[in-house]
């Protein structure tokens, strides 16, 4: 089954073709980062406008790289939630028009379920159930992936997402947007104990990052106001170490409680070298299988949507022309329910 997967929830227009879910025939990603860098973050209106400009040409490119024509497609999958509403609407409306014109099914995909599915592409042997830590610019979730379309939330951030904190701190340090990778690079060789930063504790498997973000920003602002030198690698290393201490032990506890012995990590922050190393060590200690997708599949892409679209299709999650974009939606409710 050939599925065209469309992703436009934030600042990447991404379109891919999958065969029977896990085989990716093409994966085209057009990042808008350059457009948003001067503003230090994503400007929603610019993101929507840019998606409109490129989406049709990118779909043609994805078909051509897959060596197929639009008539070969069996279904169109699209991210319909969560994300920037204007940006989502571009992908959803394009997908609706394509499905209508080609008279093929329209499959709505939850963005987080897409991130989880990046692991199905990278690891052909991986099957649910497993625990997945999804860490991106907008979400931080510990998920019980019971089945391809049955995802339960075990824990989530109560305030900021981990990626959002990386981006905010990097911006104040003068690094380009999105700052996660730049901050990761600057932390190399820095002393992780240079600054004692808080590790917030909340009940269960929930997490909280806003206290850490504020404490780190205060250190930067104080140094700036007093015109004192700042040990940037040390601060970056201390911040990453605090994020890691809040993510890794909680996730390992959740993995232990679920008893699956399989952990997957997903989302843009899964590219972080310290977090990857730490999970490798912890999983080796307890004998759990660890699935870390390659960096190319950690960020937003169309392949993960085309892949998850296949499993949503098999589960009967198909939409009609009434499909609308949804800005905020738990992955627990990710299976599309027509109104
Ligand atoms: O999954 P993604 O591409 O988009 C969302 O769905 O949000 O994630 C983007 C996030 C950004 O916050 C970015 O700074 C962060 O992933 N990121 C990183 C690294 N690479 C990207 N954060 C920490 N370390 C990295 N190496």
């Amino acid at each position: 089954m050939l599925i065209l997967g469309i992703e436009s929830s934030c600042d990447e227009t991404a379109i891919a073709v999958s065969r029977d879910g896990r085989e990716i025939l093409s994966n085209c990603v057009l990042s808008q980062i350059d457009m948003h860098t001067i503003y230090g973050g994503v400007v929603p209106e610019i993101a929507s406008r840019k998606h409109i400009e490129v989406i049709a040409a990118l779909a043609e490119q994805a078909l051509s790289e897959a060596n197929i024509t639009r008539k070969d497609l069996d279904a169109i999958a699209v991210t319909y939630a969560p994300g920037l509403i204007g940006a989502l609407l571009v992908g959803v409306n394009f997908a609706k028009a394509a499905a209508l014109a080609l008279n093929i099914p329209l499959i709505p995909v939850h963005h987080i379920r897409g991130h989880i599915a990046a692991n199905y592409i990278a690891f052909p042997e991986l099957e649910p159930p497993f625990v997945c830590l999804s860490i991106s610019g907008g979400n931080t979730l510990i998920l019980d992936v019971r089945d391809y379309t049955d995802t339960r939330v075990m824990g989530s951030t109560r305030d900021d997402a981990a990626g959002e904190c990386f981006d905010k701190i990097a911006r104040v340090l003068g690094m380009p947007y999105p700052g996660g990778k730049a901050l990761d690079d600057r932390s190399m060789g820095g002393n992780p104990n240079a600054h004692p930063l808080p590790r917030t504790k909340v009940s269960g498997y929930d997490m909280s990052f806003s206290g850490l973000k504020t404490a780190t920003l205060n250190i930067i602002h104080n140094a700036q106001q007093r015109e004192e030198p700042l040990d940037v690698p040390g601060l970056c290393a201390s911040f990453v170490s605090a994020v890691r201490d809040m993510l890794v032990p909680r996730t390992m506890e959740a993995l232990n409680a679920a008893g699956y012995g399989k952990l997957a990590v997903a989302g843009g922050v899964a590219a972080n070298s310290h977090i990857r190393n730490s999970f490798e060590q912890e999983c080796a200690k307890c004998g759990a299988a660890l699935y870390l997708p390659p960096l190319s599949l950690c960020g937003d892409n169309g392949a993960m949507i085309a892949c998850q679209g296949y499993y949503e299709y098999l589960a009967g999650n198909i939409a009609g022309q009434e499909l609308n974009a949804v800005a905020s939606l738990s992955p627990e409710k990710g299976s599309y329910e027509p109104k």
Side-chain angles (χ1 to χ4, degrees), residues 27 29 115 118 121-122 271 276 293-304:
N27 188 16
V29 182
H115 273 303
I121 302 168
R276 292 174 87 89
L295 303 192
S296 59
L297 289 172
C298 286
D300 290 348
N301 63 84
M304 67 188 201

Side-chain angles (χ1 to χ4, degrees), residues 21-38:
R22 300 189 184 216
E23 188 189 346
I24 302 305
L25 305 188
S26 66
N27 188 16
C28 303
V29 182
L30 210 75
S31 171
Q32 306 176 354
I33 283 175
D34 292 352
M35 228 79 58
H36 302 284
T37 297
I38 53 164

Side-chain angles (χ1 to χ4, degrees), residues 12 111 115 136-138 163-164 166-167 178-181 184 267-269 271-273 298-300:
E12 261 101 22
H111 184 71
H115 273 303
S136 65
E164 197 180 324
F166 269 95
D167 294 343
K181 165 112 183 48
D184 190 10
V269 185
N272 186 271
S273 51
C298 286
D300 290 348

Side-chain angles (χ1 to χ4, degrees), residues 8 47-49 51-52 55 85-95:
S8 72
S48 319
R49 236 175 285 149
H51 287 312
I52 292 172
I55 197 162
I85 194 72
L88 284 168
L89 277 169
V90 178
V92 166
N93 283 314
F94 184 83

